[in-house]
Amino acid sequence: MKLILHNTEDSFDVVALSNLFYPRDGFTEEKGKILTVTRTGDSFEAVFSVNGNTYTSVHKIHSELYDGERCAIKSACYDVFRAATGIESPWGLLSGVRPIRFYETALSRYGEKTDEILQKFYLVTPEKIDLCKRTMEGQEAARAANRTGDAALYISIPFCPSRCKYCSFVSQVTGSEQELIPEYLTVLQEEILAKAALANENGHRITTVYMGGGTPTTLSATQLDELMKTVAKAVDVSSLLEYTVEAGRPDTITAEKLKAVEANGATRISVNPQTLHDEILQNVGRRHTVADFHRAYGEARKTSLAVNIDLIAGLPGDTPKGFEQTMQGVTALDPHNITVHTLYLKRAADYAEENPEEFTKNARETVEMVHISQAYCKQYGYLPYYLYRQKNTVGNLENVGYAKKGFESPYNIYMMDDLQPIYGAGANATSKFIENRTVSRVCNTKFAYNYVKEKWK
Ligand code: SF4
């Protein structure tokens, strides 16, 4: 897309907004789209030419808004992109990844008029406003439990039994990499002990531990047991607010591994089917079946662990009806948590470019699927407790963690809102330090083989 600006230099907002409709399209002259934004007095005009059509919109700067200029320029661009693509974004002009932060800022500026202003000027749907409010309610207890000096330990297990087609993580497929695991675990355990010592030196108390992946249950029961025993040496497991092992793929979960996880003090596990349709699982390369999920979930429920189920809205081949069947199946199992992600597309721009009609249809249907998930979670007593948006998700949507009251994951809340420092251990893990509300990050080396070679230092 070629961008021409007159009397304004706000390309940041224009680019952010265009990414909602043309993800990662980039501003070059090659794609046959021209967007011209002109400021005249207290108005912005956007003129967008694409495929021989031209769309125009003009918006005034509203002085009652604290960011009136940004709102006007985005509104004009939103109109022309919506007219050209037929896509409506339920989050309206909001392009950031943390809608709750925006909602809190809006509340502090507009008070009781917040919802009205968000709908009228920022084009946020009432459903998303309700989601923000309910998410804030769902976070209250965890936020209140967070004390100065509390910190998190994140442990990365970057191995999976096979690679899902939509995967955007740095995860090694076990098999050829299998022999790397013992060495990886040796180095990882050294780092866990070192990071816990560093937390101690910094006056931090680890209150949440999150073992994520990849697929942590790719490890054998003995390996999990040994690793978790090291965690127990590093931190006081009995006083943790949360200790999650994100098991992940049902085909890797066994009763023996669950026993090891439970015996070593974990409080929460994630069993992730993503969908309850076998043909979709096959299509996306998950290499497990719905029956595998039911077996693994059944085993997990025999333990004392709280169980989370991860789903993805917008998977290739899924439909709103199919997704509703998945929601029916999952809510009938009565898990403690349900996390609904929206499909992230690494190559979203190519998809939109190569299959524009399919992309628009998929975006519309994903909006419907997310709507269905919200309705089911509400009906079955799940409160949203964390919420974030990711660039390049189908339909400009969000990822939401839902929980039965008292089963929220504090780690997710603290991590998302930068409420605690994080000590990261393992390949591709990030440590996060917060000083005077400024966040600095230290990233470990990305790949497991480098991590082993370089001994994480
Ligand atoms: S289970 Fe998760 S991390 Fe592993 S390949 Fe699939 S999407 Fe990637």
Side-chain angles (χ1 to χ4, degrees):
M1 186 183 303
K2 182 176 178 183
L3 174 63
I4 303 167
L5 297 174
H6 294 301
N7 303 329
T8 176
E9 289 179 359
D10 186 5
S11 60
F12 176 82
D13 282 314
V14 175
V15 171
L17 222 269
S18 85
N19 277 337
L20 300 181
F21 295 87
Y22 296 100
R24 293 157 67 110
D25 197 58
F27 280 83
T28 67
E29 299 200 16
E30 291 153 27
K31 310 258 177 169
K33 306 181 193 91
I34 302 174
L35 175 67
T36 308
V37 179
T38 307
R39 179 174 182 161
T40 310
D42 64 351
S43 297
F44 283 95
E45 180 191 57
V47 179
F48 183 46
S49 304
V50 59
N51 297 332
N53 296 313
T54 299
Y55 306 89
T56 304
S57 175
V58 179
H59 273 264
K60 262 180 69 134
I61 297 169
H62 290 280
S63 53
E64 67 266 49
L65 302 180
Y66 77 91
D67 59 349
E69 274 193 42
R70 297 182 67 188
C71 193
I73 197 168
K74 283 173 128 183
S75 299
C77 294
Y78 184 93
D79 279 354
V80 294
F81 291 142
R82 176 175 52 187
T85 61
I87 294 175
E88 297 258 2
S89 172
W91 288 101
L93 308 185
L94 305 200
S95 50
V97 296
R98 293 171 174 171
I100 297 295
R101 280 216 179 150
F102 185 86
Y103 189 80
E104 282 175 334
T105 307
L107 260 184
S108 69
R109 307 265 180 169
Y110 307 128
E112 58 187 24
K113 285 192 155 177
T114 299
D115 296 358
E116 188 192 324
I117 286 178
L118 286 187
Q119 275 186 64
K120 186 171 166 191
F121 296 112
Y122 297 89
L123 313 177
V124 184
T125 61
E127 187 186 46
K128 298 303 175 202
I129 292 172
D130 181 58
L131 181 64
C132 286
K133 287 169 146 173
R134 285 165 43 80
T135 305
M136 285 168 71
E137 193 188 325
Q139 296 186 341
E140 267 169 21
R143 280 175 175 256
N146 186 33
R147 298 157 301 170
T148 309
D150 288 357
L153 173 66
Y154 177 81
I155 300 163
S156 166
I157 308 294
F159 301 101
C160 287
S162 66
R163 192 155 179 89
C164 308
K165 281 189 191 153
Y166 56 84
C167 182
S168 58
F169 298 103
V170 185
S171 152
Q172 310 282 143
V173 176
T174 50
S176 58
E177 301 294 341
Q178 192 85 37
E179 69 277 7
L180 195 62
I181 293 180
E183 250 190 292
Y184 180 84
L185 290 177
T186 305
V187 181
L188 178 63
Q189 288 173 77
E190 280 171 24
E191 190 184 10
I192 289 170
L193 292 170
K195 285 288 161 73
L198 178 65
N200 212 16
E201 260 173 51
N202 290 344
H204 288 145
R205 193 176 37 242
I206 303 288
T207 58
T208 56
V209 175
Y210 197 101
M211 192 187 294
T215 304
T217 39
T218 304
L219 306 182
S220 69
T222 313
Q223 287 168 334
L224 272 171
D225 186 56
E226 198 185 305
L227 175 62
M228 292 180 76
K229 285 213 160 45
T230 300
V231 174
K233 268 189 219 155
V235 303
D236 177 8
V237 169
S238 66
S239 68
L240 294 175
L241 291 176
E242 172 186 354
Y243 187 171
T244 288
V245 175
E246 193 189 19
R249 296 267 287 263
D251 44 338
T252 61
I253 298 172
T254 64
E256 205 190 353
K257 292 182 194 180
L258 289 168
K259 234 184 252 164
V261 168
E262 187 184 23
N264 284 291
T267 55
R268 182 172 176 271
I269 195 160
S270 203
V271 184
N272 303 335
Q274 312 301 8
T275 170
L276 294 188
H277 296 284
D278 277 330
E279 60 290 359
I280 298 174
L281 288 171
Q282 295 268 311
N283 282 346
V284 298
R286 290 280 291 181
R287 295 226 200 126
H288 66 80
T289 62
V290 176
D292 289 332
F293 160 69
H294 282 295
R295 181 202 50 76
Y297 180 82
E299 291 294 345
R301 289 309 297 263
K302 288 181 197 161
T303 68
S304 60
L305 300 160
V307 184
N308 171 65
I309 291 179
D310 263 17
L311 299 175
I312 299 179
L315 283 173
D318 208 355
T319 60
K321 192 166 171 244
F323 188 77
E324 180 159 11
Q325 288 163 350
T326 294
M327 285 307 301
Q328 277 167 353
V330 164
T331 46
L333 294 172
D334 194 32
H336 305 85
N337 292 190
I338 301 173
T339 307
V340 183
H341 294 98
T342 308
L343 183 66
Y344 167 87
L345 290 173
K346 215 172 177 182
R347 301 177 64 79
D350 295 349
Y351 179 29
E353 198 73 32
E354 287 156 18
N355 309 289
E357 278 165 28
E358 194 187 308
F359 178 78
T360 306
K361 178 174 170 277
N362 197 236
R364 282 207 195 102
E365 289 193 346
T366 308
V367 169
E368 217 177 315
M369 291 181 211
V370 168
H371 172 74
I372 289 166
S373 68
Q374 280 171 30
Y376 267 81
C377 286
K378 201 169 187 174
Q379 185 185 343
Y380 286 88
Y382 294 90
L383 200 59
Y385 70 92
Y386 91 113
L387 159 65
Y388 68 99
R389 296 175 73 203
Q390 229 173 336
K391 287 181 184 141
N392 297 319
T393 57
V394 178
N396 307 320
L397 292 156
E398 64 277 358
N399 301 323
V400 186
Y402 294 92
K404 288 270 168 83
K405 206 167 174 49
F407 289 99
E408 302 82 15
S409 154
Y411 172 85
N412 281 329
I413 297 169
Y414 302 155
M415 179 266 302
M416 193 49 60
D417 290 337
D418 298 332
L419 298 176
Q420 281 190 346
I422 298 176
Y423 291 85
N428 204 34
T430 298
S431 296
K432 193 155 86 172
F433 301 99
I434 305 160
E435 214 169 314
N436 298 328
R437 310 191 91 198
T438 304
V439 179
S440 56
R441 291 179 170 79
V442 181
C443 302
N444 279 7
T445 186
K446 223 170 178 185
F447 297 102
Y449 49 84
N450 285 336
Y451 178 80
V452 168
K453 213 164 68 192
E454 295 164 15
K455 307 278 180 238
W456 67 269
K457 280 168 189 139

